[in-house]
Amino acid sequence: MNEKVVPNFTSYINVLPMNNGDKNGSLQELKPKLLNGEQVVGVAESVVLLTPLSERERGRFGSLFVTNYKLTFVPIDASVSDEYGQRNQLVGAFDVPLTGVGALWQTDGGLTRRRRLVPRSDVPPKLKGLQVVCKNMKVLSFNFTNSPIGNGRQVAIALLHHAFPKRHDLLFAFEYREPYYPTLPSDLNMFQRPGDWKRELERCECPHWRITCINGTSDAFMLTAGETLIVPSSVLDYNLIESARHFRSGRVPVWVWGRSDGAALLRSGELLQTEQSATAESVLLEQVRRSHPKLKPPHVLYLCGNSFTNTNNSLTLPSLSTLNSSYKKLVDLCTPTTLSGFWIQDSQYYSILESSRWLRYVANCIAFADDAAAHLVNSQTVVLQEGDGVDYSAVVSCLVQLLLDPHYRTIAGFQSLVQKEWIALGHPFCDRFGLPRPGNTKEESEREPTVQAAPVFLLFLDCVWQLQRQFPAACQFTETYLTTLWDCAHNHLFDTFLFNCPRDRELAVAKNFVARPLWDWGEQFSEQDVALFYNPLFAPPAPAHHRLSQISASGRWAASSRLEPCASVAGMELWSQCYERWLPPLDAPRAGPVQYYLHHCAVKAQIQKLNDKLSTMSILTRHSNGDADPNELPPTPAVTRFYPFSLRSSDTVTRSLDSMQVSLIDASQLLDSQSLLNAPD
């Protein structure tokens, strides 16, 4: 006789009374919100979502669903307060995209004892509890004590199968049937065609370099990059093909950014251990030297040490496996499962953080970028050399351009920078995010050695946040934008971070895959939510013709626009909004940098309101008393430290925030990025 120990369990869980019409005490039927093409593959009823870091096993009743896109919990007592301050139209407060699932743990129904579940592992028929640790460090714990026998096991098996697929084309992006009408900003450079690279060359005023499309032919030597590369004008394609044999993954030095004075920034892979490698490198570096108007030799930065001569320095960046180990320690620090465990870690917080060495690696990346920027300002070309030329070189290259080029500190410029350095030049997102490689069958995936997963892109975003914190008015985007970008990188509806290289994306598109760039933010957020991405302290850079006149007149514009960051470990801080936002004890009201953000929003909204009023007033009415005191600011809404990643408290707060935030985007910016008037035919 199967007995369900409901009375013993209800004394620990905050259970709502059943409806009188329910049979046998079952919960009312709950259904998830499904997208076009989304299907339910597993369901568990009468599930309890446990309250995070609760000493007593309290929670909320509802139903748990696994679809081919997400894990979603539907509470029986859903309310408006379940929404976050940022309202994602595709992913709700209790939803996790399958590619955002980091680890699954079998529990005893509580939050203490647990065992790791991996694909093809045994799942007990009477699974009592399941804990999901997401890649953005959110933890969801479920109790199946009240569920029908087998429901928990069904959900766990469905998650293990669909969250860790063996083939790339099994991801939901290949099944999503919603039509897509792009409304990308007009000033966003996607770096997909030779003309896009030509625009960048012209913008940087670098005439001594040329575009080659040899990498898009049968003679391609850099298979993980796009068809377009920029190389010294004096180098022939034949020489590139010959030299590529001496560099890892064929990654010869290629141009990514430059200055009008002739200094350029290049990326390269490490030399292979062959007798001719040093000669091949010297020949290419000589061509790079000839591309400088003053024939200055380039400065080579070995980000991971010089493997050819086996030399290292104190700033050497770690191997990917070491970086991943560091990240796991950081995750353990930011994902305690019990309140007692939280307080134990809190008492050892700084020692645990130091032992992870995460901030040290962040500081090293910024130090390399600052060093490279100093050489470029002194009109010396810099070559970044590392591994396969797709990981740390992308991090440091982007940071250098953020330090030197104000264009890349705007939202459209930053997105163009990611497209250039990470997408067009082929950062292997599938390998680093732990996704199956495109084109591989299930059998091939099982035969291949495990590829190296590592949070290289998160390391980059953390570095950008450190710069943003040190220079609050330098960037147009906010830390909310960076946090949202990290979350959306694991949303496999969008193709931006879904492939290892441009070739894989082109092959998928040729098979009717619909590419949806993440940068079309209107697909997920309203105008009010997009406004959270804009920094009220940011002053737009001067027009191009004005900057050029400044350069020609004094020659000091480039140096004056350079950011000089603190690159010591002591100057680094933990990115709390990204890593700690899911820990309730830390989400204090009226605390954290968000309070300054809201105050700045209110001030800017008031300034805009007064300017609008002043422009509509006649000369006679300007001297009369207005209907509001110009010195009086609206009261700052009471939000918690991790807003907008905190649950909403009331609609009144939301309405007041919306009116303040939307003023950060002027009409022209909204027209460029959101209006259907700019949609292509």
Side-chain angles (χ1 to χ4, degrees):
M1 178 177 179
N2 292 330
E3 294 182 0
K4 302 182 73 172
V5 195
V6 177
N8 292 340
F9 187 70
T10 52
S11 62
Y12 297 98
I13 297 180
N14 186 18
V15 182
L16 293 177
M18 304 294 181
N19 294 334
N20 293 332
D22 293 336
K23 295 182 179 180
N24 300 324
S26 62
L27 293 175
Q28 63 187 28
E29 184 178 4
L30 302 174
K31 295 183 179 180
K33 295 180 180 179
L34 301 178
L35 301 178
N36 193 352
E38 187 177 4
Q39 299 177 351
V40 175
V41 295
V43 59
E45 299 176 347
S46 302
V47 178
V48 177
L49 173 62
L50 299 177
T51 303
L53 300 185
S54 175
E55 287 296 332
R56 304 178 66 185
E57 296 173 0
R58 296 185 178 275
R60 300 177 63 179
F61 261 116
S63 294
L64 184 62
F65 300 88
V66 178
T67 73
N68 53 344
Y69 168 53
K70 64 178 181 286
L71 171 71
T72 178
F73 176 78
V74 182
I76 191 174
D77 57 340
S79 65
V80 177
S81 61
D82 289 335
E83 298 180 10
Y84 292 109
Q86 184 189 70
R87 292 144 291 185
N88 194 308
Q89 299 167 3
L90 299 176
V91 182
F94 305 116
D95 296 346
V96 179
L98 294 182
T99 45
V101 174
L104 295 179
W105 298 83
Q106 171 191 341
T107 70
D108 60 355
L111 298 169
T112 306
R113 299 177 58 186
R114 62 179 191 169
R115 179 178 71 90
R116 181 75 178 265
L117 292 177
V118 296
R120 296 183 299 277
S121 62
D122 293 332
V123 181
K126 297 182 180 180
L127 184 66
K128 296 181 179 180
L130 186 68
Q131 189 174 85
V132 181
V133 180
C134 307
K135 293 178 181 177
N136 65 356
M137 302 192 187
K138 185 177 184 179
V139 179
L140 297 174
S141 300
F142 303 97
N143 185 294
F144 300 111
T145 304
N146 286 345
S147 302
I149 295 176
N151 273 196
R153 184 174 189 271
Q154 179 187 5
V155 165
I157 292 177
L159 265 180
L160 289 171
H161 179 74
H162 291 274
F164 308 100
K166 290 298 181 182
R167 295 206 326 266
H168 189 261
D169 57 359
L170 293 177
L171 298 175
F172 183 67
F174 291 86
E175 303 178 31
Y176 190 35
R177 297 290 178 259
E178 193 69 23
Y180 173 60
Y181 305 99
T183 57
L184 295 171
S186 59
D187 53 350
L188 172 61
N189 192 338
M190 297 293 286
F191 289 95
Q192 293 177 336
R193 301 175 180 84
D196 298 337
W197 288 93
K198 183 180 179 181
R199 283 169 49 196
E200 182 71 355
L201 266 180
E202 293 173 347
R203 188 186 71 84
C204 295
E205 300 180 3
C206 296
H208 302 288
W209 302 81
R210 71 178 181 90
I211 293 175
T212 175
C213 295
I214 188 67
N215 206 47
T217 68
S218 58
D219 292 323
F221 54 86
M222 198 182 295
L223 298 179
T224 55
E227 65 171 331
T228 308
L229 302 173
I230 299 180
V231 297
S233 299
S234 58
V235 177
L236 301 177
D237 289 345
Y238 171 79
N239 300 128
L240 290 174
I241 296 173
E242 287 296 312
S243 300
R245 297 186 294 107
H246 304 288
F247 289 84
R248 284 180 55 174
S249 300
R251 291 269 172 173
V252 299
V254 294
W255 181 98
V256 293
W257 184 80
R259 292 157 47 95
S260 58
D261 61 5
L265 181 65
L266 290 84
R267 286 173 51 181
S268 165
E270 290 182 352
L271 284 174
L272 296 174
Q273 302 289 338
T274 63
E275 294 180 358
Q276 297 82 18
S277 293
T279 303
E281 182 187 40
S282 299
V283 170
L284 282 181
L285 292 182
E286 172 62 19
Q287 304 303 324
V288 171
R289 185 185 72 87
R290 293 181 181 181
S291 297
H292 195 289
K294 297 182 180 180
L295 301 180
K296 285 188 176 182
H299 176 71
V300 181
L301 282 178
Y302 300 98
L303 304 182
C304 296
N306 190 341
S307 62
F308 196 79
T309 59
N310 293 322
T311 57
N312 295 290
N313 58 52
S314 59
L315 294 180
T316 298
L317 293 171
S319 64
L320 293 180
S321 59
T322 302
L323 178 68
N324 201 42
S325 298
S326 171
Y327 170 69
K328 289 180 179 178
K329 292 180 180 178
L330 180 67
V331 171
D332 290 340
L333 176 63
C334 299
T335 57
T337 57
T338 63
L339 189 60
S340 59
F342 169 81
W343 289 118
I344 291 174
Q345 286 189 337
D346 182 72
S347 64
Q348 307 169 4
Y349 178 83
Y350 289 106
S351 60
I352 298 176
L353 181 60
E354 168 60 23
S355 66
S356 74
R357 300 182 68 85
W358 178 261
L359 293 183
R360 186 173 298 275
Y361 300 145
V362 171
N364 287 356
C365 288
I366 296 177
F368 269 121
D370 189 44
D371 184 21
H375 283 87
L376 288 165
V377 167
N378 290 327
S379 191
Q380 185 177 20
T381 293
V382 174
V383 180
L384 304 176
Q385 190 175 104
E386 161 263 337
D388 291 325
V390 295
D391 292 303
Y392 294 126
S393 60
V395 175
V396 176
S397 179
C398 285
L399 295 178
V400 172
Q401 295 171 67
L402 285 170
L403 293 178
L404 295 179
D405 195 339
H407 168 67
Y408 287 125
R409 299 174 206 155
T410 65
I411 289 181
F414 183 80
Q415 293 172 168
S416 301
L417 182 64
V418 174
Q419 280 291 141
K420 177 175 67 172
E421 299 287 343
W422 297 86
I423 311 303
L425 291 179
H427 177 71
F429 283 103
C430 287
D431 293 350
R432 301 298 176 258
F433 285 172
L435 301 177
R437 284 184 172 181
N440 280 14
T441 64
K442 178 180 178 181
E443 291 75 16
E444 289 172 337
S445 298
E446 292 176 348
R447 286 198 304 266
E448 277 189 356
T450 304
V451 296
Q452 181 59 60
V456 183
F457 190 66
L458 176 61
L459 179 71
F460 162 64
L461 294 180
D462 200 325
C463 293
V464 176
W465 178 81
Q466 303 289 345
L467 297 180
Q468 189 183 69
R469 181 183 59 82
Q470 294 184 27
F471 305 98
C475 298
Q476 186 183 25
F477 47 86
T478 61
E479 70 166 339
T480 296
Y481 170 83
L482 297 176
T483 304
T484 303
L485 181 55
W486 175 241
D487 287 345
C488 295
H490 301 292
N491 188 343
H492 54 296
L493 279 182
F494 305 96
D495 73 287
T496 304
F497 304 111
L498 200 61
F499 295 92
N500 271 346
C501 63
R503 293 174 185 271
D504 291 342
R505 180 178 287 100
E506 292 166 4
L507 290 174
V509 171
K511 298 179 181 179
N512 299 322
F513 172 80
V514 179
R516 302 170 188 271
L518 178 63
W519 317 124
D520 208 340
W521 294 109
E523 291 284 297
Q524 299 182 76
F525 304 109
S526 65
E527 292 178 357
Q528 288 79 10
D529 293 313
V530 172
L532 293 168
F533 299 163
Y534 286 78
N535 179 9
L537 298 180
F538 175 74
H545 62 84
H546 180 58
R547 297 200 302 268
L548 292 176
S549 65
Q550 286 181 309
I551 294 173
S552 59
S554 63
R556 291 193 301 269
W557 175 82
S560 65
S561 67
R562 176 192 170 192
L563 303 180
E564 299 185 37
C566 171
S568 69
V569 182
M572 303 297 111
E573 290 186 11
L574 187 73
W575 186 8
S576 296
Q577 188 195 66
C578 184
Y579 303 140
E580 299 179 332
R581 53 190 154 139
W582 313 117
L583 300 177
L586 300 180
D587 197 15
R590 294 189 179 274
V594 68
Q595 308 307 318
Y596 298 105
Y597 167 79
L598 294 177
H599 177 72
H600 297 150
C601 288
V603 171
K604 187 161 186 175
Q606 186 74 354
I607 292 174
Q608 182 171 323
K609 180 180 178 181
L610 293 175
N611 285 336
D612 293 342
K613 185 175 181 180
L614 187 62
S615 64
T616 58
M617 292 173 63
S618 66
I619 297 178
L620 294 178
T621 57
R622 287 182 186 181
H623 299 286
S624 62
N625 292 329
D627 54 357
D629 183 359
N631 296 321
E632 182 180 350
L633 291 175
T636 303
V639 299
T640 54
R641 178 186 178 193
F642 298 131
Y643 176 86
F645 302 101
S646 307
L647 294 177
R648 296 164 59 187
S649 57
S650 69
D651 287 338
T652 304
V653 172
T654 303
R655 286 194 297 270
S656 61
L657 284 171
D658 288 346
S659 63
M660 287 177 5
Q661 293 156 0
V662 79
S663 65
L664 297 180
I665 313 179
D666 58 33
S668 62
Q669 290 171 325
L670 283 176
L671 184 63
D672 284 343
S673 60
Q674 303 296 332
S675 175
L676 290 177
L677 297 177
N678 286 342
D681 295 335

